Amino acid sequence: MAGDVDAFETAAREVNAEVTRTTAGEFDAAMEDVLVDPAVGTPLPYHGVSLPGWVETDPSPSDLAAAATGVTSAGLGVVESGSVVVESTAAGEDPTSLFPERHVAVLAASDLVADVSAAVEHLAAVAGEGRDAVIETGPSATADMGALVYGAHGPRAVHVVVIEDR
Amino acid sequence: MSSREQKAAEIRRLLATEGEAVSENARGFNRGREEATAELDDYDELKATARARKEDAIERLPELIEQVRESVEARGGNVYLAEDEADANAYVREVADGADVETAVKSKSMTTEEIELNEALGAAGVDVWETDLGEFVLQVAEEAPSHLVGPAIHRDRESIAELFEAHFDPGESLETADDLTRFARTFLGERIADADLGLTGANFVAAEEGTLVLVTSEGNARKTVTATDVHVAVAGAEKLLPSVADLGPFLELIARSATGQSLTSYLTFLTPPGSAPTVDFEGDEMGAPGDREFHLVLLDNGRFEMREDEQLRETLYCIRCGACANACANFQQVGGHAFGGETYTGGIAGGWEAGVHGLDSAAEFNDLCTGCTRCVPACPVGIDVPWINTVVRDRVERGADPSRFDFLVDGLAPDAESGGSLQKRLFGNVGTLAKVASMTAPVSNWLVQSTLGKWALARLGVDPRRDLPQFRRRTLRDWFESRGRTRVANPEREVVLYPDVYTDYADVERGKAAVRALEAVGVGVRIPSLPESGRAPLSQGMIATAEQAAERVLDGLEPHLDAGRDVVVVEPSDLAMFRRDYDRLVPERVDRLAANSYEVLEYLHGVLANGADLDALADLDGERLAFHPHCQARTLELAAHTEWVLEERGADVETTTAECCGMAGSFGYKQEYYELSVAVGEALSAELPEDRRVVASGTSCLDQLADLGRSPRHPVELLASAG
C-alpha cells in the first residue's frame, strides 16, 4: 500500500500535480498548509476527517468565482497516471474543482487503483447510476497560444492530499 | 493560370506563411506519439482491442442507436437522429428557440464544424462563442481549423498576439502565451456566465448508460455544460460504443496517439442530466442537477452510406486523434489548409470528406496522400488510410473526362482504365514507358531532355525542374544473361531477384550489387523476366490495372515459389506491394508470396544470422554513414536489417527520423507539387550531416537526395565487391 502511494505520488508530480501525504490525525494541519483563502469545499466522506470551519461548503456562484481554492474528495486515485477521479453530487464537486484557480483533492490511500482501465470499470458503475465524473490528470492546460500554459479554463494548480490511514 | 499553376501557387503561399508553425507542432506531436506509445508494453494489443470494438460497434450501429435512445430518454433527455446538416441545424435551432437562447457557448467539436452549426445559429439570432482557445482564435480570425486536434497550429504566439490586439484593443500588452491565455479565459468566462445554451461534441457515446465521454485539456467543456441550463451534444453516429466498460483501450490510446500525453487533463463522463448542480452566475444561484435540459443529436450525414461501403467503412472507426496528419511528411510542411477538405484534415480526411461532403471535396487534396504508409502504424485503430485515399483517387479518376492530350499517352498506355487524368495515366504506365525508353536509349533520354520533350511532358504535368531517370540500353537482365547468369555452382539456397522497373532499366548498378552481394554469401540468383508490380498504377488510383499486374506477377513467380525459391526485392515500394497491397488486390493468391519475399538487406541479414561468412561482404570499417530508410520500408520495419548488416561490417550508422523523402514515386515530378516535394526533401536533408556518406534504399529517396545535391548510394552497393 505504501508502495502504491509512492508510485502515485511520483506519477502525480510528473503531470504537475502537487502531493501531500498525511494521516487522519494530522489532516487539519495539512489543510492549513495547502488551502489558500478564500476557499470553497464539499463534504469529505472519510471517518474522523472534516474540512476546516472557515471553508465555505454551501457556495453561491459568486463565492465560486471569488474562491482561490476549491477542495473536494476524490473517489479514486489512479496510481499509473497520477490522476484523481472527481465524482459529482448535488454538493457541487464539479464546479468546486473547476472554477477556482487551485483544486485540492482529498484522497484516501485505500481508494487507489492501478490504472485507467480499473478506473473505467468503476466509472461504468457510476455512469450506470446516472452520476457524472471526471478523471482529472494535473492542472488545466492549453498549448493553443503558442506555448504550454497551465490554467486555461480550469485550475492552474492541482494539489492531492493523500490520507494514508484511510 | 492553369489549375496546376494555381495549386502550386497556393501550396507556395502556405509553405511560406503557415509551414513553419505547422511543421514545429505536427512534428512535435509525432515525436510525442512515438515516445508515448513506446512506453506501452501492450500497445499492439490495445490497438487490436480498440479496432475490434469499433468494428463491432459499427456493425451493431442501428441497435446501439435504439439503445442510447432508451437510456437517455429514461433519464428525461432527448435523442435526435439527424439525416443531414440541414436537419441537424434545424433541430438545434428549434431547441434554442424553445429555450429563448440569446448566447450559446461551445466546446471543441469537429462535427459541429462539419454541419456549420455556428452559422446556422447565427442566422437565427443566437451568438455562439467557441470556448476552446484554439477554436476561439480561429473564430476571431475567421479561419478554418488546420488540424483535427490543434485547430490553430498554423498560428504562432506572435500572430495570435497581433490578432487579439487588433481585434479587442485590450488596453494592455498581450505578449506571452500566459498573457494571451489569461485574456481569453477572462473574456470567455464572461460569455460562459452569460450563456443559456451549452454545446458540446462527444469523443465517445456509451449506449448502455447514455454517457458522453469528452477528452479535453482546458476544462471548457465542463464549464460549458455546468454553467448553462440547456445542453445540446452533437456527435457523429459512429461515436457510439456499447458501454462505458468498452472505453479502457481508447482512453489509453487517444492522447498518446494525438499529442504524446499519457492522458489529457480531463476525461469527462457525463450522464445527462447528470449529478452536478447547474451554476447560474447571473441569478447567483445554484440549481438542482435535474434542472438541466439535454439533447443528443446523432448525425448521419452520409455515415450510414459509408457503413454500407466496403471501402469507406473503415473511416468510421476513426477516433479523430490526428496521428495520421502528424505522421505525414506532406502534412508536416503545409498543414490542413492544403491537406484537407471542407472540414476534415490529414490523411483520414480523404475518407471523411468523400463520405460526408462527397468526392469533390475529397478530390481537392487527395493527391497529397502519396501512399507512403507512415500513418498506418500511427493509427490507434489500424485504419489503412492510404488504401482509402487510393480508392477515393480511383473513384475520382474514373469519373474524369478524356482530354485532348490523350494521344500523348494512349499508344504507350496498356492500362485497364477508362478516363482519368493524363498525368496519372502517364505515371501509372511507367513500366511500359521505361521498357520503350530503354530499347531506344540513349535517344529516348535525349528526346526527354529536349525542348520538345520537356514541352510534351509539361503538358502532362511533369515539372521541368526535375531530371527524369536516365534509362539504360543494357538492362540488369541483359547484364545478367551476358555474364552467364549466376556464378554460384550448386547453391544451397537459390532466390529470384525481382527485376523491378527502376533497377532493371535505370539504376542497374544497385541490381548488379545485389547479385554480387547475394552470391558472395553463397546464394544462387535467378532473374527471370517479370512484369511491373502494379505499384505505379496503384499510386495513381488505377486499381483495376494494378490488379492485372498483380495477377501477372504471381503467374510469373508462383513456379519459383513452388520450387522453393525465395523472392528478393531491391525496391522497397515493390516489396510493400507483395507484403501489403497485394492483400487488397489478390487476397486469395498472395499469402505464399508475402511470406517468402524479402528486401535484399533483410535477406542478407537472415543468411548471415544463419552462419554465412560476414567477411564475404566488403569491409566498412571507418565508414561514417547516414542512412535514410524508405518510408514503406519503415512501415514494414525493415530498417533494422540494413543497420545490422552495415554495423556488423564496421560502419558507424546514423538513421534519419524523417518519415519520407518527399519524392514518393511520381509525386515530386508533378508540376503542382514540386515545391512541396522539395520542402519535404529539405527537412530530410537537414538531418543528414555533411561529413557522413548518405545511403538510402528506395529509388525515390535516391533521386530526391541526388536532386538536393547529395550523392546517395544504395547500401548494397557498399557491401558488394566489384566483379
Side-chain angles (χ1 to χ4, degrees):
Chain A
M1 186 53 75
D4 280 354
V5 178
D6 289 344
F8 172 81
E9 179 172 351
T10 306
R13 289 186 191 284
E14 268 176 33
V15 294
N16 291 294
E18 294 161 82
V19 177
T20 295
R21 295 160 72 149
T22 187
T23 59
E26 301 290 319
F27 183 74
D28 292 348
M31 280 289 107
E32 294 304 321
D33 289 342
V34 301
L35 297 184
V36 178
D37 192 27
V40 294
T42 56
L44 301 178
Y46 314 113
H47 179 68
V49 171
S50 58
L51 290 175
W54 58 270
V55 174
E56 175 58 62
T57 52
D58 187 16
S60 65
S62 50
D63 291 333
L64 277 173
T69 309
V71 52
T72 69
S73 61
L76 294 179
V78 184
V79 170
E80 190 181 63
S81 60
S83 318
V84 290
V85 173
V86 178
E87 297 174 20
S88 284
T89 73
E93 283 81 359
D94 185 61
T96 300
S97 65
L98 183 61
F99 284 91
E101 285 239 323
R102 180 174 176 76
H103 175 215
V104 173
V106 181
L107 172 70
S110 59
D111 288 328
L112 284 170
V113 296
D115 53 24
V116 171
S117 292
V120 167
E121 270 177 47
H122 172 76
L123 288 169
V126 170
E129 294 165 11
R131 290 189 287 133
D132 298 333
V134 57
I135 302 178
E136 179 180 325
T137 307
S140 155
T142 186
D144 287 343
M145 297 295 165
L148 181 63
V149 175
Y150 292 111
H153 283 278
R156 181 185 284 266
V158 172
H159 200 127
V160 186
V161 176
V162 185
I163 311 177
E164 298 199 71
D165 55 352
R166 286 293 180 271
Chain B
M1 260 199 280
S2 73
S3 70
R4 278 195 193 108
E5 282 162 356
Q6 277 172 15
K7 203 165 247 184
E10 176 62 4
I11 286 173
R12 191 178 309 127
R13 184 185 72 78
L14 288 170
L15 283 170
T17 52
E18 301 183 354
E20 197 179 326
V22 164
S23 177
E24 193 186 322
N25 284 300
R27 293 168 79 183
F29 291 156
N30 197 41
R31 258 197 316 278
R33 172 188 56 79
E34 281 176 358
E35 288 165 13
T37 55
E39 284 170 12
L40 290 170
D41 298 332
D42 52 352
Y43 179 46
D44 290 337
E45 201 184 316
L46 285 168
K47 286 189 350 179
T49 309
R51 165 83 185 198
R53 288 185 184 174
K54 272 288 180 185
E55 285 179 5
D56 172 62
I58 295 302
E59 184 65 34
R60 291 166 53 194
L61 194 55
E63 177 197 328
L64 295 181
I65 289 173
E66 283 323 301
Q67 195 182 6
V68 80
R69 188 190 296 284
E70 279 170 34
S71 56
V72 169
E73 287 177 355
R75 295 201 163 93
N78 309 279
V79 174
Y80 186 73
L81 180 61
E83 207 176 302
D84 56 20
E85 301 176 7
D87 191 19
N89 288 332
Y91 181 85
V92 181
R93 259 200 321 263
E94 215 169 283
V95 171
D97 274 352
D100 292 327
V101 172
E102 287 172 11
T103 304
V105 282
K106 194 174 107 190
S107 68
K108 185 176 174 328
S109 150
M110 288 307 299
T111 309
T112 59
E113 299 267 359
E114 176 187 324
I115 61 173
E116 299 185 355
L117 178 63
N118 292 7
E119 290 75 2
L121 284 175
V126 178
D127 286 334
V128 184
W129 288 97
E130 295 285 354
T131 60
D132 172 85
L133 298 185
E135 290 286 351
F136 175 60
V137 166
L138 298 186
Q139 184 174 27
V140 172
E142 298 182 23
E143 290 174 349
S146 61
H147 188 277
L148 286 173
V149 171
I153 60 162
H154 58 284
R155 281 184 165 266
D156 59 15
R157 182 178 53 80
E158 290 82 356
S159 85
I160 297 169
E162 278 168 31
L163 175 75
F164 280 13
E165 305 245 356
H167 191 87
F168 295 107
D169 193 14
E172 53 175 322
S173 150
L174 301 175
E175 237 175 73
T176 64
D178 220 47
D179 296 340
L180 292 163
T181 302
R182 202 156 356 93
F183 174 82
R185 173 184 168 128
T186 306
F187 180 89
L188 291 169
E190 290 164 10
R191 302 298 168 290
I192 291 169
D194 281 350
D196 322 294
L197 169 65
L199 296 163
T200 69
N203 293 88
F204 306 98
V205 180
E208 184 184 324
E209 298 87 354
T211 299
L212 315 174
V213 179
L214 300 168
V215 180
T216 73
S217 281
E218 296 181 358
N220 57 312
R222 294 170 66 198
K223 281 188 169 172
T224 295
V225 174
T226 283
T228 53
D229 296 340
V230 184
H231 175 196
V232 176
V234 181
E238 84 285 359
K239 299 288 177 70
L240 278 161
L241 285 171
S243 81
V244 171
D246 290 309
L247 284 163
F250 296 100
L251 301 182
E252 295 271 14
L253 289 169
I254 192 167
R256 287 186 168 94
S257 301
T259 60
Q261 292 168 281
S262 51
L263 295 174
T264 60
S265 302
Y266 304 116
L267 298 172
T268 305
F269 293 65
L270 298 174
T271 307
S275 52
T278 59
V279 183
D280 173 10
F281 285 98
E282 283 178 310
D284 203 20
E285 276 176 342
M286 305 290 274
D291 291 350
R292 192 172 285 117
E293 179 183 329
F294 175 65
H295 302 265
L296 172 61
V297 179
L298 291 172
L299 184 66
D300 172 358
N301 205 30
R303 287 166 175 77
F304 282 90
E305 272 182 51
M306 291 166 80
R307 185 171 168 269
E308 298 300 322
D309 183 327
E310 211 181 307
Q311 311 295 352
L312 290 188
R313 181 180 234 211
E314 229 190 351
T315 308
L316 298 172
Y317 307 154
C318 170
I319 59 171
R320 312 256 177 106
C321 68
C324 55
N326 302 331
C328 172
N330 279 345
F331 188 96
Q332 288 175 358
Q333 295 300 320
V334 285
H337 287 159
F339 202 148
E342 285 182 36
T343 307
Y344 296 101
T345 50
I348 193 61
W352 280 121
E353 291 293 336
V356 307
H357 291 133
L359 278 181
D360 285 352
S361 178
E364 286 290 310
F365 61 95
N366 177 268
D367 280 351
L368 292 179
C369 173
T370 63
C372 85
T373 69
R374 294 306 298 137
C375 52
V376 174
C379 177
V381 288
I383 299 174
D384 193 344
V385 173
W387 175 253
I388 290 174
N389 285 317
T390 302
V391 169
V392 167
R393 187 166 308 154
D394 188 79
R395 291 181 185 178
V396 169
E397 291 301 318
R398 263 10 90 211
D401 295 329
S403 114
R404 66 202 167 95
F405 289 109
D406 262 342
F407 72 93
L408 289 173
V409 172
D410 265 357
L412 294 171
D415 59 32
E417 313 298 326
S418 60
S421 87
L422 294 176
Q423 187 192 51
K424 288 194 166 67
R425 287 180 71 199
L426 172 76
F427 286 117
N429 285 292
V430 73
T432 305
L433 297 177
K435 193 172 177 178
V436 173
S438 167
M439 287 190 301
T440 55
V443 176
S444 56
N445 293 324
W446 300 335
L447 187 64
V448 162
Q449 300 302 337
S450 72
T451 311
L452 179 65
K454 292 236 170 192
W455 173 85
L457 288 168
R459 297 285 81 69
L460 298 170
V462 179
D463 197 286
R465 289 166 286 188
R466 285 283 182 199
D467 287 331
L468 290 164
Q470 293 283 304
F471 294 103
R472 305 284 202 87
R473 189 65 167 262
R474 196 169 140 90
T475 66
L476 175 65
R477 276 178 305 117
D478 294 341
W479 167 82
F480 189 68
E481 293 296 322
S482 69
R483 83 203 272 266
R485 303 192 182 178
T486 197
R487 292 186 174 170
V488 182
N490 306 315
E492 234 179 273
R493 295 168 198 273
E494 202 184 22
V495 300
V496 169
L497 183 72
Y498 175 69
D500 67 85
V501 172
Y502 308 99
T503 306
D504 198 18
Y505 294 112
D507 295 335
V508 175
E509 292 310 315
R510 68 178 193 180
K512 294 181 189 172
V515 171
R516 290 180 188 125
L518 288 163
E519 288 179 343
V521 296
V523 178
V525 180
R526 291 186 181 214
I527 312 183
S529 171
L530 288 164
E532 201 261 335
S533 71
R535 164 62 63 201
L538 187 70
S539 74
Q540 306 305 314
M542 296 156 66
I543 295 176
T545 307
E547 265 168 19
Q548 284 183 353
E551 299 280 3
R552 288 194 202 115
V553 168
L554 281 160
D555 289 345
L557 282 174
E558 274 170 354
H560 294 284
L561 295 170
D562 290 340
R565 289 174 204 121
D566 289 326
V567 177
V568 172
V569 183
V570 177
E571 174 55 40
S573 63
D574 283 325
L575 181 66
M577 285 297 282
F578 298 169
R579 286 215 194 147
R580 287 192 79 247
D581 303 275
Y582 277 18
D583 197 35
R584 299 278 186 181
L585 302 173
V586 282
E588 67 293 340
R589 281 183 81 180
V590 71
D591 288 357
R592 247 181 349 142
L593 176 59
N596 295 292
S597 51
Y598 301 87
E599 193 265 339
V600 60
L601 271 288
E602 178 187 26
Y603 196 81
L604 287 172
H605 181 190
V607 174
L608 293 167
N610 277 310
D613 182 15
L614 264 168
D615 294 335
L617 297 176
D619 183 2
L620 298 179
D621 197 27
E623 276 282 358
R624 289 162 50 75
L625 303 176
F627 169 45
H628 175 65
H630 183 269
C631 45
Q632 286 160 335
R634 267 183 215 271
T635 297
L636 295 173
E637 299 181 352
L638 296 173
H641 300 295
T642 300
E643 290 163 10
W644 186 90
V645 178
L646 293 172
E647 282 169 0
E648 284 295 317
R649 293 310 297 136
D652 178 73
V653 184
E654 224 179 70
T655 303
T656 59
T657 64
E659 299 287 10
C660 182
C661 70
M663 183 65 105
S666 62
F667 182 79
Y669 287 101
K670 292 180 178 173
Q671 210 176 2
E672 58 272 45
Y673 304 121
Y674 171 79
E675 283 156 82
L676 173 53
S677 166
V678 168
V680 173
E682 280 169 353
L684 162 62
S685 200
E687 272 193 68
L688 301 168
E690 291 291 341
D691 63 345
R692 283 178 180 263
R693 194 200 301 213
V694 178
V695 286
S697 51
T699 301
S700 290
C701 322
L702 292 162
D703 288 348
Q704 174 81 312
L705 288 165
D707 279 1
L708 291 167
R710 310 302 291 250
S711 309
R713 308 277 303 275
H714 190 287
V716 83
E717 292 182 74
L718 272 55
L719 290 162
S721 333

